[in-house]
Amino acid sequence: MMKLRINPLVAKDLKSIKDFITEDNADKALETVQAIYRQFENIQQFPLHCYGLVQACGFSDGL
């Protein structure tokens, strides 16, 4: 399985997102961040599934 590292800037952004949503609904904030992490896991398990998106974003150097 591919090893996926979360950039510290991404982790910081996710915390900011969670904090922002928590102001209105703490349960939804946690649910949202967990959903994003599940997508990270999907990328880790199926990296080529996202290949078109990676190319479209200009990040094809690593594949």
Side-chain angles (χ1 to χ4, degrees):
M1 182 183 305
M2 172 189 225
K3 185 173 184 175
L4 185 66
R5 291 180 292 150
I6 305 298
N7 184 303
L9 294 175
V10 172
K12 183 179 175 183
D13 285 346
L14 285 173
K15 183 178 180 335
S16 295
I17 290 167
K18 181 179 175 278
D19 291 345
F20 180 78
I21 298 172
T22 296
E23 292 176 15
D24 293 324
N25 188 327
D27 292 335
K28 284 293 181 183
L30 180 59
E31 185 179 310
T32 299
V33 172
Q34 287 175 337
I36 293 170
Y37 271 98
R38 280 193 301 275
Q39 293 307 311
F40 291 156
E41 291 170 357
N42 284 342
I43 292 169
Q44 183 179 13
Q45 291 177 5
F46 307 105
L48 297 179
H49 183 74
C50 300
Y51 186 70
L53 177 62
V54 169
Q55 283 186 316
C57 294
F59 300 120
S60 60
D61 295 342
L63 295 176

